[in-house]
Amino acid sequence: MGATEPLVRFKDVRKTYDGDTLVVKNLNLDIGDGEFLTMLGPSGSGKTTSLMMLAGFEVPTHGEILLAGASLKNTPPHKRDIGMVFQNYALFPHMTVAENVAFPLSVRGIGKSEREERAEKALDMVRLGGLGARRPAQLSGGQQQRVALARALVFEPRLVLMDEPLGALDKQLREHMQIEIKHLHDRLGITVVYVTHDQSEALTMSDRVAVFNDGIIQQLDSPRDLYESPNNSFVAQFIGENNILNGTVESLDEGFAGVRLDGGGHVRARAVNVGGVGARTSLSFRPEKVHIEGIGADHENYLPALVEETIYHGDHMRVRAKVDGNEDFTVKMRYRSGREEPKAGDDLFVAFAAEDCLALDPVAPTTTA
Amino acid sequence: MDDGLSLKVKLRRAERMRQWRAFGLIAPMLLFLVVIFVVPIADMLRRSVHDVDLSEVWPRTTQAIGAWTDRTQAPDEPIFAALAQDIRDSQANRTLATAARRLNYDFSGSRSLIFGTARALPEDAPSWKAAVLEANDTWASPEIWAAIDRASGPITAFFLLQALDLERDPMGNLRAAPEDESIYLDVLARTFGVSLSVTLLCLALGFPVAYLLATLPPSKANPLMILVLLPFWTSLLVRTAAWIVLLQDQGLVNGALQWMGIIEHPIRLIFNRAGVLIAMTHVLLPFMILPLYSVMKGIPPVYMRAARSLGAPPTVAFLRIYLPQTLPGIAAGTLLTFIIALGYYITPALIGGAADQMVSYFIAFYTSDTVNWGMASALGTVLLTATLILYTIYNRLIGADQVKLG
């Protein structure tokens, strides 16, 4: 990340398909050599379009993309030397696994024996040694995914793009593959640009995550910063679980704001993204940073809560309560011995530090309903 | 154990009910196929070797001819006596023409020979051999007797041999038919040649169209699809007649070419091979395009993208990734087009010249013009056999599992 020369640079890139609406609005993004960068966002946010422009399958309407300092404008996809893993693997069905993996080498005119040796090595790397003679259709989803990885890595590209590569796998396999891809990245030192709409996947794997929405990068940060210090309500909502309470700023001092909630309560919150006194704001709370207590007096902030429901989750318990008019306020609580568990109908308090309550830009009321 | 046994019995009973029901559902279809497909083909195969025309009207002669041993010369008195008797009987029964027609297939001039002999034959004669030879000395030649022997039935290879331009000499040995009678091998070769040319033309023209149809967005592909299907919805006769109008010397094509200054004099496009190829290609194009289209439709564009991202230039990606995946469509399309082309009749008959007629023309000719069912069936049998042999070779090369019809 600290490298002076980024490997990939998006410079004022815009893209429109119909000439009216911009799918990508003025994208500026530097990707460092060896970095694992994830483009995260809901569908239609412009992340896949950005990836396709980098791969060369879409042409930017405006601006340019530089790879190692050189413009990619007139470089067709096959000359970009960028490995790519597709959503549904795109393994060639009429070739064996080994032929699939050797394909990038054979189109580069590499001799048969070297080709076979390198393909075999690449298959060993993804722990599929010995399966080279099979057809892709004879492999499981996870194995096909590994073949696609081996094929994208075998010609040692500077950059590997992955377009929701784990989308078709079941949860357990997906989590396993996430770790495996991350280890491959660490071991080979390659640069990876990864597209996904799954926020936990983005947090698990990435050095940095670019959160896309509406054609704009909403926030570009490390997973930790993204989760703990979201810049705005969209990021707070999209990454991890989140509770929202709406209110109006009453006072501002040294980075903290006094907020009068719509339900009547008053809290002190970290002012991250608010206008002046009198502006509307949405407060964001992580369910695990809020405590549920019998009395809230010894905390910085506390609000009365009516327990609606409790749900057992094994290692923790979820309490859904009505707080300041929001009926879906969720609190995650660990089991502690010697403490009475809350039950539906209990009148309790939610308590939290001002540090853990972020005052962000107001969201439309419908999203909190 | 008892329980297990009864469970098995129950299972079998339940399965049997299901099987009978399934059979009941396909029974009408099966019956239909048997009646209009299996039975006629079996009958055709039977007729190509079955030959009782002569033995029905000349029972004595066809019976007695078995005693003819020295085939270098005409037979002896008893066989001549049987012949005279048969000729007189069939003259009375008005079946002489049947015998004359059947012998004429094999021995030209039989017709006048038989009718002449019948007229000249006396009421009674001490030696029938002398009397018959007196009536017409052609009867002294072993050739006519060999023809009678070959026609004595009930099983004969005569028609099949003739369909392959072969015949037997009086000694029963195979030999090539005389030059002026051997046309069928040429016709067969021409049939396969024209079908192959039409198939290749359809592939060359149909592949890009199918590709376009499969890759265009539906709003543009659907009107194009209608254009492709239009020939299907038009009567074959109308389309063929339209080609006559287009291709004739004063027709639209020649007119346009002359107007553009490409040619000075009209070029001959009709009543020759060119016309047949143009019209048949047009008619058969949908049979190539549709299987190709259905296969191409199932090839996601992501394969081409993947190939390009892995470093393949567009042509390489097409040849190594796209084309191999269309093979099932190519296999199905070429097979379908070729086999339909083999049986084509109307289009070559109307647009082709005398040298462009295919086997089906001769089959129709023998069926309706000369009522020589044996010959028509034999040609059909040869065509069927040749097609099956070709299909087997094709199957070996491509594999039936590769053929995808839709």
Side-chain angles (χ1 to χ4, degrees):
Chain A
M1 271 176 280
T4 45
E5 170 90 341
L7 182 64
V8 178
R9 166 168 278 173
F10 285 86
K11 221 163 93 185
D12 300 327
V13 171
R14 289 173 210 168
K15 174 72 184 176
T16 172
Y17 287 106
D18 55 7
D20 289 329
T21 44
L22 286 170
V23 186
V24 175
K25 298 170 185 163
N26 215 33
L27 175 67
N28 282 292
L29 174 63
D30 285 355
I31 301 168
D33 202 357
E35 189 178 8
F36 196 121
L37 182 124
T38 298
M39 296 177 171
L40 172 69
S43 54
S45 60
K47 59 187 192 310
T48 302
T49 306
S50 302
L51 192 78
M52 288 302 165
M53 286 191 284
L54 180 52
F57 298 121
E58 301 287 355
V59 183
T61 316
H62 176 88
E64 64 176 346
I65 303 170
L66 306 171
L67 180 64
S71 170
L72 286 176
K73 195 167 260 173
N74 294 316
T75 315
H78 62 276
K79 290 192 178 145
R80 294 194 176 191
D81 218 21
I82 296 176
M84 185 148 181
V85 181
F86 292 85
Q87 193 164 7
N88 291 312
Y89 325 131
L91 299 179
F92 307 135
H94 59 292
M95 294 182 178
T96 64
V97 165
E99 284 166 348
N100 260 285
V101 176
F103 181 80
L105 305 175
S106 99
V107 295
R108 283 171 173 77
I110 289 168
K112 193 166 189 283
S113 58
E114 187 189 344
R115 210 157 72 204
E116 281 169 359
E117 191 183 319
R118 281 173 68 178
E120 188 58 44
K121 231 186 228 167
L123 282 173
D124 281 342
M125 181 180 70
V126 293
R127 298 194 279 117
L128 282 182
L131 294 187
R134 300 221 186 147
R135 296 264 163 185
Q138 293 169 297
L139 302 182
S140 71
Q143 289 173 324
Q144 291 186 26
Q145 183 54 62
R146 290 209 186 102
V147 176
L149 264 175
R151 192 176 66 173
L153 295 172
V154 71
F155 59 103
E156 292 163 7
R158 289 176 281 185
L159 178 63
V160 178
L161 310 184
M162 303 191 186
D163 182 15
E164 309 218 7
L166 306 180
L169 302 180
D170 60 51
K171 188 167 176 286
Q172 215 168 356
L173 198 52
R174 197 160 64 221
E175 284 168 1
H176 178 79
M177 286 302 294
Q178 285 168 10
I179 303 299
E180 203 156 310
I181 290 175
K182 193 169 164 55
H183 287 170
L184 270 176
H185 166 256
D186 294 344
R187 208 164 76 223
L188 302 175
I190 44 170
T191 309
V192 176
V193 179
Y194 193 99
V195 161
T196 182
H197 63 262
D198 180 339
Q199 46 96 11
S200 78
E201 196 166 291
L203 296 187
T204 309
M205 305 172 75
S206 322
D207 294 326
R208 284 194 303 162
V209 179
V211 182
F212 277 69
N213 190 38
D214 220 9
I216 294 172
I217 294 186
Q218 303 284 337
Q219 188 168 353
L220 173 63
D221 251 322
S222 68
R224 180 181 291 268
D225 287 342
L226 220 48
Y227 186 79
E228 292 180 0
S229 319
N231 278 345
N232 57 41
S233 293
F234 174 81
V235 177
Q237 295 246 60
F238 198 75
I239 310 272
E241 282 182 277
N242 191 40
N243 292 303
I244 280 192
L245 296 177
N246 290 311
T248 310
V249 180
E250 276 194 335
S251 61
L252 273 171
D253 68 287
E254 289 172 11
F256 286 89
V259 177
R260 174 66 59 192
L261 298 176
D262 293 350
H266 184 277
V267 295
R268 206 170 115 81
R270 210 164 96 205
V272 177
N273 189 356
V274 289
V277 173
R280 297 285 296 160
T281 182
S282 287
L283 300 181
S284 156
F285 308 82
R286 296 293 184 198
E288 72 278 12
K289 300 262 169 95
V290 181
H291 311 284
I292 200 145
E293 308 281 353
I295 36 164
D298 53 344
H299 280 273
E300 210 173 353
N301 288 306
Y302 56 92
L303 292 167
L306 172 64
V307 176
E308 301 268 353
E309 190 180 16
T310 61
I311 301 156
Y312 176 74
H313 268 266
D315 60 334
H316 70 275
M317 181 183 208
R318 268 159 198 270
V319 180
R320 188 168 67 79
K322 184 173 178 181
V323 176
D324 198 62
N326 180 353
E327 291 189 357
D328 283 325
F329 199 100
T330 308
V331 178
K332 232 171 160 177
M333 61 182 284
R334 300 204 160 275
Y335 291 107
R336 244 186 285 154
S337 54
R339 197 181 69 167
E340 206 176 315
E341 287 173 14
K343 295 185 298 294
D346 285 359
D347 267 318
L348 298 168
F349 289 92
V350 287
F352 46 91
E355 191 64 31
D356 296 329
C357 167
L358 308 179
L360 302 170
D361 53 316
V363 295
T366 47
T367 52
T368 59
Chain B
M1 285 298 108
D2 272 0
D3 231 348
L5 205 71
S6 79
L7 202 64
K8 269 184 190 162
V9 171
K10 269 183 196 162
L11 173 73
R12 215 177 298 137
R13 199 164 294 157
E15 288 290 302
R16 197 181 302 140
M17 270 304 289
R18 223 166 43 85
Q19 282 168 0
W20 276 111
R21 212 162 24 228
F23 182 77
L25 283 172
I26 62 159
M29 168 75 174
L30 206 62
L31 197 70
F32 179 78
L33 277 182
V34 167
V35 170
I36 75 141
F37 200 68
V38 178
V39 170
I41 286 183
D43 191 47
M44 179 192 81
L45 294 175
R46 186 184 62 82
R47 277 175 191 272
S48 66
V49 293
H50 190 68
D51 184 15
V52 292
D53 284 2
L54 193 66
S55 57
E56 270 172 5
V57 294
W58 284 6
R60 293 184 198 85
T61 315
T62 49
Q63 192 97 59
I65 195 86
W68 181 42
T69 45
D70 180 11
R71 295 189 170 232
T72 53
Q73 57 184 35
D76 298 329
E77 174 64 19
I79 298 177
F80 271 95
L83 174 72
Q85 197 64 46
D86 276 336
I87 289 180
R88 302 193 54 173
D89 278 6
S90 60
Q91 198 175 16
N93 299 338
R94 299 172 180 278
T95 53
L96 206 53
T98 308
R101 198 188 70 223
R102 172 60 189 90
L103 284 178
N104 214 33
Y105 295 159
D106 197 348
F107 188 87
S108 51
S110 296
R111 203 177 163 78
S112 55
L113 169 67
I114 288 166
F115 278 98
T117 310
R119 272 195 302 276
L121 218 55
E123 281 292 312
D124 199 10
S127 161
W128 282 111
K129 184 168 182 176
V132 169
L133 287 176
E134 173 94 359
N136 194 321
D137 62 2
T138 312
W139 293 109
S141 135
E143 298 273 351
I144 179 69
W145 290 101
I148 291 175
D149 186 28
R150 285 193 290 270
S152 60
I155 301 293
T156 179
F158 168 72
F159 297 117
L160 285 174
L161 289 176
Q162 199 178 358
L164 293 169
D165 289 342
L166 293 171
E167 64 174 26
R168 287 190 192 277
D169 61 18
M171 307 304 290
N173 298 319
L174 277 182
R175 68 179 180 203
E179 198 100 337
D180 56 326
E181 282 172 30
S182 41
I183 56 166
Y184 299 112
L185 283 183
D186 278 353
V187 169
L188 208 62
R190 180 191 306 155
T191 305
F192 283 101
V194 167
S195 301
L196 188 67
S197 313
V198 167
T199 305
L200 293 179
L201 280 172
C202 281
L203 183 61
L205 294 175
F207 194 93
V209 177
Y211 181 77
L212 198 66
L213 280 173
T215 46
L216 278 180
S219 61
K220 286 179 188 153
N222 287 344
L224 254 181
M225 193 55 153
I226 289 175
L227 290 183
V228 169
L229 290 175
L230 212 56
F232 261 156
W233 301 331
T234 322
S235 148
L236 179 61
L237 218 53
V238 171
R239 273 179 285 162
T240 308
W243 277 114
I244 297 178
V245 174
L246 286 171
L247 294 177
Q248 57 187 289
D249 287 357
Q250 313 305 324
L252 279 174
V253 173
N254 269 315
L257 288 175
Q258 275 174 294
W259 181 77
M260 287 188 290
I262 294 171
I263 52 169
E264 266 182 40
H265 304 289
I267 43 172
R268 195 115 180 94
L269 290 173
I270 199 162
F271 307 127
N272 61 10
R273 189 63 56 86
V276 172
L277 291 182
I278 291 172
M280 279 182 70
T281 301
H282 169 245
V283 170
L284 291 173
L285 209 45
F287 293 100
M288 182 64 82
I289 292 177
L290 291 178
L292 275 176
Y293 168 76
S294 93
V295 168
M296 286 176 177
K297 199 74 190 156
I299 303 175
V302 71
Y303 288 129
M304 283 294 272
R305 284 190 162 187
R308 307 257 344 250
S309 82
L310 295 170
T315 41
V316 174
F318 177 81
L319 291 176
R320 293 191 48 189
I321 302 303
Y322 196 79
L323 197 60
Q325 293 190 67
T326 62
L327 266 186
I330 295 177
T334 48
L335 191 66
L336 206 58
T337 315
F338 185 74
I339 287 185
I340 296 175
L342 281 181
Y344 247 62
Y345 167 60
I346 293 183
T347 306
L350 291 183
I351 291 188
D356 304 309
Q357 298 311 324
M358 317 225 299
V359 169
S360 48
Y361 171 84
F362 291 89
I363 295 176
F365 170 77
Y366 281 120
T367 319
S368 50
D369 285 20
T370 65
V371 203
N372 183 352
W373 288 73
M375 196 58 210
S377 298
L379 284 172
T381 303
V382 168
L383 182 62
L384 182 68
T385 313
T387 308
L388 287 178
I389 290 172
L390 275 183
Y391 176 74
T392 312
I393 296 171
Y394 186 85
N395 202 2
R396 281 280 158 76
L397 292 178
I398 305 228
D401 55 332
Q402 278 286 334
V403 177
K404 198 176 161 195
L405 285 170

